[in-house]
Amino acid sequence: MIEIKNVNKVFYQGNKAINALSDINLTIEQGTIFGVIGSSGAGKSTLIRCVNLLERPTSGQVIVDGVDLTALSEQELTQTRRKIGMIFQHFNLLSSRTVFNNVALPLELAGVAKNKIKSKVEDLLELVGLADKRDVYPANLSGGQKQRVAIARALASDPKVLLCDEATSALDPATTISILELLRKINEELNLTILLITHEMAVVKGICQEVAIIGDGKLVENGTVGDIFAHPKTDLARDFIRSTLDLSIPADYEARLHATRTENSYPLIRLEFTGASVDAPVISHVAREFDIDISILSSNMDYVGGVKFGLMLAEFIGPEACANKAIQYLKEQKIELEVLGYVI
Amino acid sequence: MSFNAVITWWTENTRLIELLVDSLWETLVMVFTSGFIGFAVGIPLGVLLHLSKKNGLLENTSINKILGIVVNIGRSIPFIILLVALIPVTRFIVGSSIGTAAAIVPLTIGAIPFIARLVEGALLEVPSGLVEAAQAMGAKPMQIIKKVLLPEALPGIINAVTITLVTLVGYSAMAGTVGGGGLGDVGIRYGYQRFDATVMMITIVILVILVQMIQSLGDHLVKRVDHR
Ligand SMILES: Nc1ncnc2c1ncn2[C@@H]1O[C@H](COP(=O)(O)OP(=O)(O)O)[C@@H](O)[C@H]1O
Ligand SMILES: [Mg+2]
């Protein structure tokens, strides 16, 4: 549905050239929810804006639904854009128009008859759950409601593709989840292809089937979400995965933590399970086999695309020799271990 | 002044009152005619200034530069000098260089660049994301101007209209001194030249009330259309 071929984008700031995108190649199949993740400044917005040519690539092709957008005239491009919906981080609703009239705008632009606009807009407001807000101005809506209006507006001209530029980055976690659920719903009901960009791995994990990781204008890695989580090949990918699981040591433990083992202190261990780790109930096994008690302090385990992964903080309580053997065994199971210190 | 005294003054000064009513009418004609023509030219000019900017919707730096220079020249000439300098132009357009109709020419020409800059400023307040969103939905440039830029800038444009009209009230008083008539003319003739403080006070009070009314009406309209 979307093909990005050898796309480069160079910005000039005075004499300085900024390579915002370097030789990007991506294919996004009809009906998928495709995520692009990268840190701030990586080139995500530039990439998604190249898909509807809000930003014209310096070189390369962008093919949407079989049409090479880079080859179109300005007028043809305007027409073609009506089949590509877009939503933004800051919603970009017109403050001068009510919810109803905001959603009606793309239809007005296309010259649709008044009575048809009315029924279409009412259906869309029903779909996004805002039928009761039709005559309200955007200033009186919450962030989540604004994004729902923006989604309804983007869907008004029956697009085949929906582009989402950090669509949940201005929303709180609960609202983010509800917006992602709405996106998933329209993806299923309308068989809409969705390309979304984000800096949050949680968003990708939440709804994407495929993901590409972009860093410094280059495509670093891409594949199914399960694959990337199970076998991240690059440090960048590993960092993003870890960012979804960040575990910190509670302050009172931190205070009791020492660098060396003494008489009655026990190791505090950070265990990292990745796609490579042996999939077995290792914790209870280790406890039984090596005769130690394992006290789990906190843990953040997840299951994505058939793979268990996550982080765990645990104390290994027992004689030093037993604990060491346990650590050795776990390492053999491809679980990454780090002794953070010894707790009294 | 008691109520009776006011009545007495009123009956004894019917000629003066007639003069004040006439000159109020002249002021209104000058302000609103030049304002109206000024908006008809200045608003599109302001839109053009905004659109032709670098990274604007219809980027054209040479047009932008030329318009900018013309507007700046218009803005930098003191109105009193413009008034005199334009006499030949006025004579050519109106056929005479004195009278209310003649005063409208320099007032209009003084108002146009003023309005253009204010409108440009109002358009600058419209977040660029809105224009992008409209482009993304397949809006043509004219549609973006009509359905996004102007409606979103409307509170600012009404504000610009208010400021312009108030400024024109002041300018029209200056125009009065070179034979344009109006309240400013009366104020100066009676107050300054004949030392009639009462008449000068009355014209000032009328001008203050006029300005107040324009400002309140403008503020009221802005409140009604502003949903930000
Ligand atoms: N219009 C522009 N002019 C100059 N540089 C730009 C422009 N837009 C983006 N850039 C630069 O391109 C790089 C990528 O930006 P962007 O795509 O916005 O990143 P992201 O959305 O991932 O945060 C950044 O270094 C940014 O400064
Ligand atoms: Mg961005």
Side-chain angles (χ1 to χ4, degrees):
Chain A
M1 177 53 67
I2 304 175
E3 257 185 282
I4 296 168
K5 285 188 181 171
N6 309 324
V7 162
N8 286 280
K9 177 75 195 183
V10 186
F11 288 113
Y12 290 95
Q13 245 166 14
N15 291 326
K16 219 179 92 207
I18 302 165
N19 290 310
L21 295 176
S22 310
D23 201 29
I24 304 279
N25 284 286
L26 264 187
T27 304
I28 298 164
E29 299 297 339
Q30 151 77 31
T32 39
I33 304 183
F34 194 106
V36 174
I37 187 165
S39 359
S40 156
K44 306 180 297 292
S45 294
T46 308
L47 177 63
I48 203 165
R49 289 156 55 82
C50 278
V51 175
N52 60 2
L53 252 61
L54 278 181
E55 209 75 76
R56 196 171 269 281
T58 309
S59 66
Q61 285 175 308
V62 178
I63 299 164
V64 178
D65 199 19
V67 180
D68 180 2
L69 300 190
T70 55
L72 298 181
S73 71
E74 210 46 51
Q75 269 107 334
E76 291 169 323
L77 180 61
T78 301
Q79 291 297 323
T80 311
R81 276 181 178 152
R82 296 192 175 149
K83 291 292 163 205
I84 307 174
M86 188 167 191
I87 59 173
F88 305 85
Q89 177 172 7
H90 298 296
F91 324 120
N92 292 349
L93 299 176
L94 301 197
S95 68
S96 57
R97 286 176 170 242
T98 60
V99 165
F100 181 95
N101 286 324
N102 262 288
V103 179
L105 180 59
L107 301 167
E108 280 177 36
L109 296 175
V112 176
K114 270 238 163 68
N115 55 337
K116 276 200 185 145
I117 292 183
K118 186 167 180 288
S119 66
K120 179 88 200 181
V121 172
E122 279 168 357
D123 288 351
L124 285 165
L125 289 178
E126 201 66 53
L127 176 75
V128 300
L130 284 179
D132 57 327
K133 298 282 183 197
R134 57 168 284 163
D135 297 320
V136 171
Y137 284 93
N140 299 321
L141 297 177
S142 69
Q145 290 170 331
K146 284 182 195 166
Q147 200 57 290
R148 283 169 187 272
V149 176
I151 290 171
R153 180 176 73 174
L155 295 178
S157 42
D158 297 318
K160 300 192 169 134
V161 172
L162 180 64
L163 307 176
C164 311
D165 186 351
E166 303 263 10
T168 57
S169 298
L171 304 175
D172 61 68
T175 313
T176 295
I177 290 171
S178 81
I179 292 295
L180 294 181
E181 264 163 22
L182 176 60
L183 289 176
R184 199 204 324 262
K185 178 171 122 180
I186 58 180
N187 163 255
E188 282 166 8
E189 285 181 14
L190 311 173
N191 194 25
L192 193 71
T193 309
I194 298 180
L195 171 59
L196 65 85
I197 66 165
T198 179
H199 63 269
E200 294 170 309
M201 201 59 175
V203 170
V204 171
K205 210 169 74 185
I207 65 163
C208 294
Q209 288 132 17
E210 290 186 49
V211 61
I213 297 168
I214 183 172
D216 208 12
K218 295 182 196 70
L219 201 69
V220 181
E221 210 168 317
N222 70 316
T224 66
V225 171
D227 255 359
I228 298 283
F229 271 86
H231 312 291
K233 292 180 196 69
T234 57
D235 286 341
L236 195 60
R238 268 187 285 275
D239 285 348
F240 273 117
I241 293 170
R242 205 167 279 155
S243 73
T244 66
L245 312 156
D246 195 32
L247 283 189
S248 50
I249 307 168
D252 59 324
Y253 265 82
E254 189 89 67
R256 290 189 284 134
L257 208 57
H258 296 278
T260 49
R261 183 160 184 149
T262 56
E263 190 69 23
N264 43 16
S265 69
Y266 299 108
L268 180 66
I269 295 173
R270 182 173 179 280
L271 299 91
E272 184 172 352
F273 299 78
T274 68
S277 306
V278 173
D279 187 15
V282 285
I283 297 293
S284 55
H285 179 80
V286 163
R288 237 181 299 116
E289 188 78 4
F290 302 101
D291 199 21
I292 54 170
D293 288 313
I294 296 180
S295 160
I296 297 172
L297 202 62
S298 62
S299 113
N300 193 342
M301 297 294 295
D302 219 320
Y303 186 78
V304 176
V307 180
K308 253 186 280 176
F309 68 94
L311 291 179
M312 196 179 278
L313 284 183
E315 276 178 277
F316 283 19
I317 301 165
E320 188 171 1
C322 298
N324 285 346
K325 271 189 238 161
I327 290 169
Q328 189 53 40
Y329 174 81
L330 287 168
K331 281 188 177 157
E332 281 160 16
Q333 310 304 306
K334 296 264 177 2
I335 292 162
E336 282 173 34
L337 249 82
E338 189 187 349
V339 178
L340 301 172
Y342 299 89
V343 189
I344 296 174
Chain B
M1 241 193 310
S2 74
F3 182 67
N4 272 339
V6 172
I7 296 286
T8 320
W9 185 89
W10 191 274
T11 46
E12 278 171 5
N13 290 282
T14 44
R15 270 199 51 210
L16 176 64
I17 287 157
E18 242 170 63
L19 177 72
L20 286 172
V21 171
D22 285 350
S23 52
L24 172 62
W25 174 248
E26 283 166 4
T27 294
L28 292 177
V29 168
M30 282 191 282
V31 167
F32 284 93
T33 312
S34 58
F36 189 79
I37 305 171
F39 300 135
V41 181
I43 292 176
L45 187 58
V47 172
L48 207 56
L49 271 171
H50 180 68
L51 297 179
S52 60
K53 260 198 199 80
K54 195 162 168 359
N55 294 326
L57 196 54
L58 304 172
E59 178 178 334
N60 187 326
T61 29
S62 42
I63 286 190
N64 186 268
K65 228 172 228 150
I66 293 166
L67 289 181
I69 289 171
V70 170
V71 164
N72 283 346
I73 291 173
R75 295 273 285 118
S76 54
I77 299 173
F79 181 68
I80 196 88
I81 293 175
L82 195 68
L83 208 54
V84 179
L86 283 176
I87 285 176
V89 181
T90 305
R91 208 173 269 143
F92 177 75
I93 297 177
V94 186
S96 149
S97 64
I98 48 170
T100 309
I104 289 170
V105 175
L107 283 174
T108 306
I109 290 175
I112 289 170
F114 190 72
I115 297 165
R117 280 292 183 219
L118 288 176
V119 168
E120 185 193 9
L123 290 167
L124 207 60
E125 302 261 297
V126 177
S128 60
L130 300 189
V131 174
E132 285 201 338
Q135 283 175 319
M137 2 171 152
K140 299 175 202 127
M142 260 331 260
Q143 290 179 316
I144 294 178
I145 297 167
K146 278 208 306 237
K147 291 188 181 280
V148 179
L149 281 176
L150 290 177
E152 288 293 312
L154 191 60
I157 291 175
I158 293 178
N159 219 359
V161 167
T162 310
I163 295 172
T164 307
L165 290 176
V166 168
T167 306
L168 281 172
V169 170
Y171 281 6
S172 77
M174 277 194 242
T177 60
V178 296
L183 285 167
D185 184 29
V186 173
I188 289 196
R189 266 195 287 138
Y190 281 72
Y192 185 71
Q193 288 160 3
R194 294 193 208 166
F195 304 106
D196 187 340
T198 318
V199 175
M200 193 171 72
M201 281 310 293
I202 293 171
T203 58
I204 290 173
V205 168
I206 296 175
L207 286 172
V208 168
I209 292 172
L210 182 59
V211 167
Q212 281 293 344
M213 279 169 52
I214 293 171
Q215 189 67 50
S216 311
L217 186 66
D219 290 347
H220 175 75
L221 284 177
V222 168
K223 228 187 216 153
R224 278 196 43 183
V225 300
D226 194 352
H227 300 288
R228 285 174 292 191

